[in-house]
Amino acid sequence: MTESIAATVLGLVEGATEFLPVSSTGHLILVGHLLGFTGEKADSFDVIIQLGAILAVVVLYWKRFWWLVSPKALHAFSGLRGIWLLFLTSLPAGLVGFAARKTIKAHLFGPVTVALALAVGALMIFWVESRSKRDRFYTLDEMTPALAFGIGCFQCLALWPGFSRSAATIMGGMLLGAKRSLAAEYSFIAAVPLMFAATLYDFYKSAALFSADDMGILGIGFVVSFLSALVAVKTFIVLVKRVSLRPFAWYRLALAAAVFLFWPKGQL
């Protein structure tokens, strides 16, 4: 398989799974192993092409991001207050991720750890969805600093590859009183600053791994990630208003079981 095809496949996987509660990092690790695209360079490639998925959210929610720099009186989630809420959400995972970056890459980027994270996350989804719900927050403009910071603490779970940032933040929001659709929408928007910072930092640290010839491969991954994320986000926001997260939990369990049952034993 050529690098161009591998980049296309990985870009498709990244964009399609980044904002779903199934773990894009986990899928990239598993697909990368199947394609033989592994190692430090591959790990950095997986992080860098997230920028395409991030851009898709910025395009879809451009008004909300514009209101952060051009506040609207009718929208509480705008201006300095909106920026402060996003900062509170990004802070916990940003600090923990920065401190544990090398450890995470060295010990958690493997099929077994990903499968375990998929399974644990699935069980948590079942638990969250089984609880009696008392929604207290329904729109972005009702977000509070306590809710934003609480969601940020749950986001730390996503540092375990395979757990899913989207799953962690959506479940965290629901447990803290946010309606499922609000938790999903805020999960998309809150992903942008943290993922953008993580992507730029990773590219800065790993720039020496890539040559000028690799820019084309990164470009393919970026564009495909952007386009597939556009479709995935639009589809998910419709689904999450109509159905629970349980179908995603069943998918996670099935994928985890498939890894343990069928993955080549020498590669686990």
Side-chain angles (χ1 to χ4, degrees), residues 189-211:
I189 295 174
V192 172
L194 185 63
M195 289 172 59
F196 185 75
T199 300
L200 291 184
Y201 179 75
D202 197 281
F203 185 72
Y204 167 75
K205 297 293 290 185
S206 60
L209 297 174
F210 298 95
S211 66

Side-chain angles (χ1 to χ4, degrees), residues 27 103 168 222 228 234 247 265:
H27 279 74
T103 301
F222 175 91
S228 55
K234 285 185 176 180
K265 300 305 178 184

